């Protein structure tokens, strides 16, 4: 749902190794929400190489709040840990409250909170987010694939706001068994470690992912 408080909060964490910084295309990292991207609610996290920026869009195509990292903190060929948090507070469509809506979200890179550039469509999204799809590397209702040899690892999701635990999750850039945290994730995909193609096993939950239009060679020996 939307804005009920702690019960609606979430956190997403992953490691990203950007490929070549060319073009302005959007490379989807994480998509969760309605199968109708244009009209349904979703959480869409993507990367634009030309700006070396992480984007987070919450809402629908025309009604959304969007955060973009303001500084070019990502480098070609270097792993970075990205954590995004939502505190569960109200978002909506009132122009007078847009600053409050933005404040619900935060982006961290390698454990440090980032300055962001905010934008919106029709002053935000007041509805919930449907649980139709979860995708890595491609959004719903379109392409926007992850490409240019960009790599993704250690994807984890919490049904809670883990802002206070960012340092523990980041762990100085040394991936570890996230299930040992006092506040363990709800879902955690190691993206290859111990997996058998084409299944990416959920190490703490029950949502296994299936690799589509890929081969076993797309699981590579390259870790943070």
């Amino acid at each position: 749902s939307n804005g009920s408080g702690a019960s609606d909060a979430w956190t997403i964490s992953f490691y990203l190794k950007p490929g070549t910084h060319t073009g302005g295309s959007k490379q989807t990292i994480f998509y969760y929400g309605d199968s109708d991207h244009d009209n349904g609610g979703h959480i869409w996290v993507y990367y634009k190489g030309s700006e070396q920026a992480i984007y987070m869009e919450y809402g629908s195509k025309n009604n959304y709040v969007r955060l973009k990292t303001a500084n070019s903190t990502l480098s070609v060929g270097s792993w970075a840990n990205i954590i995004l948090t939502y505190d569960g507070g109200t978002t909506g469509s009132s122009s007078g409250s847009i600053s409050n809506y933005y404040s619900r979200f935060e982006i961290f890179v390698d454990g440090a909170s980032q300055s962001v550039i905010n934008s919106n469509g029709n002053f935000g999204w007041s509805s919930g987010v449907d649980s139709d799809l979860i995708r890595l590397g491609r959004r719903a209702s379109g392409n926007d694939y992850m490409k240019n040899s960009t790599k993704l690892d250690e994807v984890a999701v919490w049904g809670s706001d883990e802002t206070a635990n960012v340092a523990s999750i980041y762990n100085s850039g040394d991936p570890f068994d996230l299930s040992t945290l006092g506040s363990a994730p709800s879902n955690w995909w190691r993206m290859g470690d111990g997996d058998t193609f084409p299944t990416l096993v959920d190490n703490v939950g029950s949502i296994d992912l299936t690799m589509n239009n890929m081969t076993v060679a797309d699981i590579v020996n390259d870790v943070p």
Side-chain angles (χ1 to χ4, degrees):
S1 55
N2 179 302
S4 297
S7 62
D8 284 338
W10 47 257
T11 297
I12 303 166
S13 173
F14 56 86
Y15 280 86
L16 187 74
K17 185 177 183 180
T20 307
H21 288 327
T22 57
S25 62
K26 302 169 183 176
Q27 295 190 52
T28 298
I29 300 167
F30 181 96
Y31 181 94
Y32 175 81
D34 203 294
S35 56
D36 181 354
H37 170 269
D38 290 353
N39 299 298
H42 57 257
I43 303 162
W44 182 25
V45 181
Y46 59 91
Y47 165 72
K48 290 186 74 170
S50 59
E51 301 174 6
Q52 298 172 248
I54 295 291
Y55 283 75
M56 189 286 303
E57 179 179 287
Y58 180 82
S60 67
K61 181 179 179 180
N62 296 314
N63 302 276
Y64 61 82
V65 291
R66 180 186 293 148
L67 280 68
K68 164 195 168 184
T69 53
N71 301 314
S72 300
T73 55
L74 304 180
S75 301
V76 170
S78 295
W79 286 101
N81 174 250
I82 315 296
I83 297 175
L84 304 99
T85 62
Y86 165 55
D87 69 6
T90 303
T91 71
S93 54
S94 170
S95 59
S97 299
I98 188 65
S99 294
N100 188 44
Y101 303 156
Y102 292 138
S103 73
R104 303 301 186 188
F105 304 89
E106 195 164 3
I107 302 177
F108 300 83
V109 177
D110 289 339
S113 181
Q114 299 297 292
S115 297
V116 295
I117 297 172
N118 300 315
S119 58
N120 72 85
N122 295 313
F123 306 109
W125 178 252
S126 57
S127 300
V129 174
D130 291 335
S131 57
D132 292 352
L133 291 175
I134 181 169
R135 284 182 170 175
L136 306 178
R138 182 189 180 185
R139 70 169 173 86
S141 308
N143 298 321
D144 292 321
Y145 295 108
M146 195 166 61
K147 55 189 177 182
N148 297 337
S149 298
T150 298
K151 296 180 175 65
L152 182 63
D153 203 8
E154 302 292 337
V155 180
V157 176
W158 287 255
S160 54
D161 178 4
E162 295 297 312
T163 299
N165 298 318
V166 163
S168 296
I169 298 169
Y170 172 50
N171 195 40
S172 299
D174 184 14
F176 67 103
D177 184 351
L178 294 175
S179 68
T180 63
L181 287 170
S183 179
S186 304
N187 310 92
W188 173 36
W189 302 276
R190 301 215 63 198
M191 305 298 289
D193 300 72
D195 292 329
T196 301
F197 176 85
T199 302
L200 300 175
V201 174
D202 185 344
N203 284 260
V204 292
S206 58
I207 304 176
D208 293 346
L209 303 180
T210 301
M211 298 171 68
N212 289 289
N213 299 316
M214 304 176 80
T215 71
V216 66
D218 290 303
I219 299 178
V220 298
N221 186 22
D222 188 348
V223 297

